[in-house]
Amino acid sequence: MKKLLPLSVMLGAACLSVSGCSTAAPAPSPTAPAASATSSAAAAAPSTGWELNPKGGAERIKAAGLAVLNEEGAAEHFHAHLDVFVDGKPVPVPADIGFSFTAAGQPNGISALHTHDETGIIHIEAPVAGATYTLGQLLTEWGVLDGTGKPGTAHAPISDWSVAVNGAKQAGPAQAVVLKAHDEVVLFHGTAPEPMPTTFKFPTGL
């Protein structure tokens, strides 16, 4: 279950990203971390602002009130799922949210709250049980919705956004949503997705 640092070694393992979770979605390898890998097509694609910037990962983890760990925790282990929509159109949730990286792009730390791939599955793998993890913390680790951009963009004020959990629209602030096991969390701006996702089929073992 546990994966010990150095993460460059850990992430090179065949089942790195999902030890104790699932083997369906491998995480970044030390030679080609997902957060820093670029194909010629990806390099040519215009930025949307939703991409994960591997630089500053450790600082964003700390800004979310979480610790940069040397290994995934085993005291608490569960998963939720996040979908993001702008005017009904999906926005990919990137891999490697909640990771820190070296200047060379190699992973060297991890938060208890993180993603391993682009499925939108949120992993909570904490060294201490009983802590609360929120959507706002994940967005801080991602580095989006910081209030510096126009409505509906990646850096819009989060107050412009709505959130639903398991199909039920939430009345409180989106960032206050507490992540719970197998919740389907939908963060959206403008036109709501139709139909509104109410559940997510998690891979066996998650």
Side-chain angles (χ1 to χ4, degrees):
M1 171 87 61
K2 282 190 176 181
K3 291 172 281 297
L4 300 177
L5 278 188
L7 282 180
S8 59
V9 175
M10 172 191 80
L11 294 183
C15 190
L16 128 91
S17 69
V18 284
S19 172
C21 297
S22 162
T23 57
S29 72
T31 55
S36 60
T38 55
S39 66
S40 57
S47 172
T48 65
W50 293 103
E51 300 88 355
L52 180 72
N53 183 355
K55 294 181 180 179
E59 289 73 19
R60 293 193 302 271
I61 291 170
K62 294 172 185 177
L66 299 170
V68 180
L69 306 172
N70 291 333
E71 62 185 22
E72 292 178 337
E76 185 131 52
H77 187 182
F78 64 92
H79 307 86
H81 183 263
L82 174 65
D83 279 311
V84 179
F85 294 90
V86 176
D87 288 326
K89 297 179 181 179
V91 172
V93 176
D96 302 331
I97 296 172
F99 280 79
S100 64
F101 291 85
T102 67
Q106 299 302 313
N108 64 355
I110 188 170
S111 162
L113 175 65
H114 56 270
T115 66
H116 285 297
D117 51 38
E118 295 181 351
T119 60
I121 295 174
I122 303 166
H123 296 249
I124 292 88
E125 294 168 276
V128 178
T132 296
Y133 300 90
T134 67
L135 178 59
Q137 288 176 305
L138 185 77
L139 296 174
T140 297
E141 291 184 330
W142 185 352
V144 295
L145 300 187
D146 55 12
T148 63
K150 63 182 182 179
T153 65
H155 294 283
I158 196 170
S159 57
D160 292 336
W161 292 69
S162 300
V163 66
V165 178
N166 302 327
K169 189 173 180 180
Q170 304 298 292
Q175 64 266 36
V177 168
V178 175
L179 302 171
K180 297 179 181 178
H182 286 190
D183 272 353
E184 165 60 15
V185 180
V186 180
L187 182 67
F188 63 98
H189 187 277
T191 304
E194 181 58 45
M196 174 71 72
T198 59
T199 61
F200 177 77
K201 185 174 176 59
F202 289 85
T204 301
L206 264 65

